[in-house]
Amino acid sequence: MNELTKAEEQVMQYVWKLEKAFLKDIVEQFPEPKPAYTTISTVVRVLVKKEFLKFKTYGKIREYYPSVSKDTYFKRHMKEVIGNFFSGSPSKFALFFANNEDLNLTEMEKMKQMLEDKIEKLKANNE
């Protein structure tokens, strides 16, 4: 799976949200001032070439839909971030956020609860 540029990722965010869309639908998602229609069309063509988007043709019009789910892309992207910046260690990644001064007690408690829930689920599956 190829990496997405910022522009490609923005288009993909809109297509993931819409689930399927014609080019005009994608253009409408952009805030003002909207990029040129031809610019977005070019990005969509690149996404088709990179196999992130597929399409159905209705005459001369194409309806685009994602061939890669947002979840699949996000997981792969996060795996690369963890590999590149945290020596492949999810624990170091979690510790980075735990040490981040922007997290308040409530957010830390939520993280702790989610980890405890996941641990209990794994234990239940192993029994």
Side-chain angles (χ1 to χ4, degrees), residues 28-41:
E28 287 173 4
Q29 295 295 306
F30 280 83
E32 294 293 341
K34 296 181 187 304
Y37 188 90
T38 53
T39 301
I40 297 171
S41 176

Side-chain angles (χ1 to χ4, degrees), residues 15-105:
V15 177
W16 282 321
K17 180 177 127 187
L18 296 168
E19 296 180 6
K20 56 184 178 177
F22 297 100
L23 189 56
K24 69 174 185 63
D25 300 324
I26 299 168
V27 173
E28 287 173 4
Q29 295 295 306
F30 280 83
E32 294 293 341
K34 296 181 187 304
Y37 188 90
T38 53
T39 301
I40 297 171
S41 176
T42 300
V43 172
V44 167
R45 273 197 312 276
V46 170
L47 288 167
V48 168
K49 190 173 182 176
K50 286 184 168 184
E51 299 181 351
F52 278 91
L53 289 179
K54 292 188 179 195
F55 60 87
K56 292 180 187 174
T57 305
Y58 303 97
K60 293 182 179 182
I61 300 172
R62 291 179 173 179
E63 182 179 43
Y64 298 94
Y65 58 93
S67 58
V68 175
S69 73
K70 186 176 184 176
D71 190 53
T72 299
Y73 179 74
F74 181 73
K75 284 179 183 175
R76 184 188 160 274
H77 190 66
M78 289 309 300
K79 216 176 231 186
E80 285 181 14
V81 168
I82 291 169
N84 292 337
F85 295 99
F86 301 96
S87 305
S89 171
S91 300
K92 287 180 183 177
F93 177 70
L95 188 59
F96 169 79
F97 282 100
N99 289 331
N100 184 336
E101 294 177 24
D102 293 341
L103 292 177
N104 61 35
L105 183 59

